[in-house]
Amino acid sequence: MECKVLLLTFFIITSFNLSKAQMVPAMFLFGDSLVDVGNNNYLKLSIAKADLPYYGIDLPNQKANGRFTNGMNAADFLAEKLGLPTAPPYLFLVDESNENNNVSFLNGVNFASGGARIWGGKNHPLSQSIHLTQQLDYFSIVYKDLYKQLGSSGAKNHLSQSIFTFVIGSNDIFRYFESSDLQNKTTSLQYVDSMVLSIKAILKRLYGFAARKFVIAGIGSIGCCPARRRVTKNEECHEEINFWSDKYNKGLISMLQELKSVLKGINYSYFDTYKALFDLVQRPAAYGFVEVKAACCGLGTLNAEIFCLPIAEYCSNRSDYVFFDKVHPTEAAHRILVDRMFDGSLQYAFPMNVKQLIAI
Ligand SMILES: *[C@@H]1O[C@H](CO)[C@@H](O)[C@H](O)[C@H]1NC(C)=O
Ligand SMILES: *[C@@H]1O[C@H](CO)[C@@H](O)[C@H](O)[C@H]1NC(C)=O
Ligand SMILES: *[C@@H]1O[C@H](CO)[C@@H](O)[C@H](O)[C@H]1NC(C)=O
Ligand SMILES: *[C@@H]1O[C@H](CO)[C@@H](O)[C@H](O)[C@H]1NC(C)=O
């Protein structure tokens, strides 16, 4: 009994020392397939998974592991910049069949899920995802655990220095333009406004859990992905989808400015994914890319008629392509986006970049 208490105390003291030595004790990540590192593999019926070839083809073992790209994604690169291991998927950490899982939430957790929306209700089981509200519910379980491990002030201290990253929203926009029912019920403006309001409520909830440092990525110029170009004239970017993505981003930016004055002591970095991705699309050669319209892996027009599945065809040099499949960037594109996010100029990351945010 006494021994256990001692051990526990020892553990708490060492983890305190650890978090003091590190500039960022942990990163907690919320989002969609752009930053999913394997959560969806644990959703039993869902087919929204990257668990088959040729996903992961450029990983060391060439095996699909839940990342929706050819190699590593933004979650990995951002963790690397912060000097942290990639935060493990939440559903991996709590999976009971997983014998060697020593549940530790201390260095962060990844809640991101392919297909996730800000404004998600129930999906058909086959396209099940963990939507943002559910991701927050999972975080509240993690919070209780940290509170138990570190105590009240310990947990507060830990979390207030941690980074809370959001990469989400694209699926909300895609869904709106795919659903005539939604379009009949709400105008595009009402729709993007409710997306902003939902994410605002989520940020407030996290503030209640002691989160103080946020990294919020806007939606990319997703009208330029192969899946949307395929349905436009001359394979151009889909203007309407880009327009409403940008509109949402503008709402997000002003909401964040307002929130900063309401929630005492928060700091954030907004990342202009729209501009950063558009740069690659407009001036591919400047960034070492050759192909911006077609996906590397898929079938049909622009390789955008199916996802990257075992029956698909794929390109030999993935780093020539901005898009790996019909909606997801290649590892090469992810890497460039995270470089910008981490220490890009004010044009890309404001009011500060991630490097400046972690230095506070
Ligand atoms: C799990 O944690 C316990 C206690 O911290 C440790 O003794 C054990 O070696 C760990 N197991 C693995 C597989 O990491
Ligand atoms: C939406 O409205 C259009 C035009 O009024 C109509 O043709 C369509 O059936 C409606 N869609 C749904 C799902 O109600
Ligand atoms: C971070 O937020 C605090 C509290 O709102 C503010 O006083 C400080 O100036 C911010 N830091 C930077 C670098 O903007
Ligand atoms: C692959 O593409 C990159 C970027 O265009 C280029 O630097 C590299 O030489 C190519 N590699 C091969 C094997 O063609």
Side-chain angles (χ1 to χ4, degrees):
M1 183 74 179
E2 234 170 10
C3 184
K4 260 190 194 158
V5 174
L6 266 178
L7 260 180
L8 192 67
T9 318
F10 176 72
F11 182 60
I12 292 169
I13 290 168
T14 33
S15 35
F16 269 175
N17 286 344
L18 195 73
S19 47
K20 266 187 191 148
Q22 284 175 328
M23 212 184 283
V24 178
M27 175 164 69
F28 298 92
L29 233 152
F30 304 86
D32 56 27
S33 55
L34 293 170
V35 287
D36 187 351
V37 293
N39 275 308
N40 277 21
N41 286 351
Y42 293 89
L43 304 176
K44 298 247 149 44
L45 294 176
S46 179
I47 55 164
K49 286 185 185 150
D51 60 346
L52 292 172
Y54 301 97
Y55 290 106
I57 187 170
D58 293 315
L59 290 169
N61 65 2
Q62 300 186 314
K63 283 231 174 77
N65 64 5
R67 287 164 176 78
F68 292 78
T69 184
N70 56 309
M72 312 274 246
N73 70 24
D76 301 296
F77 294 132
L78 191 55
E80 191 179 287
K81 296 273 189 197
L82 301 177
L84 292 169
T86 295
Y90 175 75
L91 294 185
F92 163 78
L93 289 173
V94 298
D95 186 41
E96 276 161 12
S97 67
N98 192 352
E99 278 171 17
N100 60 358
N101 93 42
N102 255 2
V103 176
S104 172
F105 299 136
L106 276 177
N107 284 139
V109 182
N110 183 323
F111 302 93
S113 161
R117 301 191 301 269
I118 294 171
W119 221 41
K122 277 238 178 314
N123 276 13
H124 187 275
L126 287 180
S127 56
Q128 190 191 355
S129 320
I130 311 158
H131 296 303
L132 190 55
T133 309
Q134 177 71 52
Q135 293 182 25
L136 257 285
D137 292 345
Y138 286 153
F139 178 78
S140 71
I141 297 169
V142 167
Y143 178 80
K144 284 194 192 113
D145 186 82
L146 290 174
Y147 190 97
K148 242 192 274 168
Q149 272 191 59
L150 305 175
S152 164
S153 66
K156 273 197 186 117
N157 190 35
H158 188 80
L159 293 168
S160 64
Q161 294 173 52
S162 295
I163 298 287
F164 291 77
T165 300
F166 288 78
V167 179
I168 196 159
S170 306
N171 293 314
D172 298 77
I173 298 288
F174 283 144
R175 180 178 152 92
Y176 183 80
F177 289 100
E178 279 158 10
S179 161
S180 71
D181 183 38
L182 262 178
Q183 291 175 46
N184 289 357
K185 277 188 197 143
T186 51
T187 67
S188 322
L189 188 58
Q190 286 167 337
Y191 188 78
V192 296
D193 282 349
S194 15
M195 286 168 64
V196 172
L197 283 179
S198 301
I199 203 160
K200 180 179 181 185
I202 295 280
L203 296 176
K204 283 186 160 171
R205 214 177 137 193
L206 275 174
Y207 183 81
F209 289 125
R212 294 294 179 272
K213 293 184 174 187
F214 300 96
V215 175
I216 320 273
I219 301 179
S221 27
I222 55 175
C224 299
C225 72
R228 297 308 128 186
R229 282 188 193 268
R230 185 174 78 84
V231 298
T232 61
K233 242 205 276 168
N234 306 323
E235 301 177 344
E236 276 157 13
C237 297
H238 194 297
E239 288 300 335
E240 202 179 13
I241 287 191
N242 274 352
F243 179 86
W244 288 103
S245 300
D246 178 61
K247 196 84 176 166
Y248 162 79
N249 289 340
K250 292 201 165 96
L252 181 61
I253 291 166
S254 52
M255 181 275 283
L256 288 170
Q257 281 163 348
E258 182 208 319
L259 209 58
K260 174 97 174 77
S261 62
V262 179
L263 304 181
K264 294 258 170 318
I266 68 162
N267 295 97
Y268 68 89
S269 170
Y270 169 81
F271 180 59
D272 194 340
T273 318
Y274 190 102
K275 179 173 169 50
L277 183 62
F278 208 56
D279 279 356
L280 305 189
V281 167
Q282 282 189 312
R283 297 189 303 130
Y287 298 90
F289 294 105
V290 176
E291 179 59 59
V292 299
K293 290 188 178 176
C296 165
C297 183
L299 279 181
T301 310
L302 296 179
N303 268 344
E305 283 168 25
I306 64 165
F307 276 104
C308 182
L309 296 167
I311 57 161
E313 283 164 8
Y314 64 94
C315 66
S316 58
N317 192 349
R318 270 74 68 182
S319 55
D320 281 345
Y321 284 68
V322 172
F323 290 97
F324 181 60
D325 71 12
K326 62 184 184 161
V327 291
H328 301 110
T330 51
E331 174 185 278
H334 273 285
R335 190 192 296 276
I336 294 173
L337 296 179
V338 170
D339 283 347
R340 286 253 187 284
M341 191 183 230
F342 188 71
D343 57 10
S345 67
L346 278 174
Q347 274 184 298
Y348 296 96
F350 54 89
M352 67 189 88
N353 57 35
V354 175
K355 194 177 173 185
Q356 293 163 328
L357 181 69
I358 63 175
I360 292 175

